[in-house]
Amino acid sequence: MGTPSLLLVAGGFLLLALSLAWLLVRVVPDQASSMETSAVAGFASEYERIGGGAWAGLRAVFRSRYLTGIAGYILLMTALATFIYFTRLQMVAAVSDNMDARAEILGQIDMWTQVAVLVLQLTLTGKIIQRYGLGVALAILPIATALGFIGLAIYGSFVMLILLEATTRALQRGVTRPAREALFTVVGREDKYKAKAFVDTFIYRAGDVVGAQTEGALGRLGLAIGGLVSVVVPLALVWAVLGLWLGRAQAGQVALTGPKDEFGGLKQLVEKSVSSSVQ
């Protein structure tokens, strides 16, 4: 098909996703109207207006040490992921000058990454969080990133780059992402929708910018992968410590108040409906 034609394929999948999103918006209220009144009251609260101003999420992040910690964790995560991204581009560009060949190489990396993500989510993610807690789950990715960059600096091979890319992205999506989302189960509804939106958009992209500018500055200084490691490893250690602290803070909040259940009796209603269907 050629690389340009892949853009049409990607556009088709985006249109399919938009269609499914539109369908969900129409189906969910219809399902809610058929539920029992006791469950509808809790479920319908999700559709009520939160109120307040548009800047409430930003203020909440800087007022709460817990939310600031989450923002810092995501900032470091995206900055270091950007380092890996640019390193990958440089090494792939050195392998071939042909655009289709480069796209094929990147596609192979992405395919094996997604296979690893699926395996992690089906087998290990839940067990890691249940056995060791969110803190350890959040610290795994920073440690793997630091070790991967050290290995890349020692060996400098394309195979090592593929292992680093696949491992870090698989851990990010298969372990870190579920653990990161669980951090918001102990905050209120306004923070869950406003502060989280601010973190997932502005802070996330700010990390991309910080990572790109830092990588560019190191390149202009003539520092190779060894110089990048001297920046990545200390940042990864700070990132890992922050992940451990967030895990302890989340566990402490759960012990005090329990996770926030925004859906009232919806869970019980679903269980009851399934039980009735089986009978």
Side-chain angles (χ1 to χ4, degrees), residues 253-270:
Q253 190 66 24
V254 169
L256 288 175
T257 62
K260 301 292 189 298
D261 182 7
E262 301 291 346
F263 296 97
L266 180 61
K267 180 180 178 181
Q268 290 79 4
L269 176 62
V270 171

Side-chain angles (χ1 to χ4, degrees), residues 66-111:
Y66 180 70
L67 293 175
T68 301
I70 296 176
Y73 183 91
I74 292 176
L75 185 72
L76 289 170
M77 180 185 72
T78 52
L80 294 182
T82 302
F83 290 165
I84 299 175
Y85 174 77
F86 280 109
T87 302
R88 178 183 68 167
L89 290 182
Q90 293 169 6
M91 296 188 74
V92 170
V95 171
S96 175
D97 293 330
N98 183 271
M99 183 174 65
D100 291 340
R102 292 178 182 178
E104 184 178 357
I105 294 172
L106 295 173
Q108 290 291 334
I109 295 174
D110 283 342
M111 184 191 72

Side-chain angles (χ1 to χ4, degrees), residues 29-94:
D30 293 339
Q31 289 184 343
S33 64
S34 63
M35 293 178 181
E36 295 181 5
T37 305
S38 59
V40 171
F43 187 72
S45 65
E46 280 292 294
Y47 293 91
E48 294 176 2
R49 292 175 62 88
I50 296 176
W55 298 99
L58 184 150
R59 291 194 296 268
V61 167
F62 292 103
R63 281 201 310 262
S64 168
R65 187 171 61 172
Y66 180 70
L67 293 175
T68 301
I70 296 176
Y73 183 91
I74 292 176
L75 185 72
L76 289 170
M77 180 185 72
T78 52
L80 294 182
T82 302
F83 290 165
I84 299 175
Y85 174 77
F86 280 109
T87 302
R88 178 183 68 167
L89 290 182
Q90 293 169 6
M91 296 188 74
V92 170

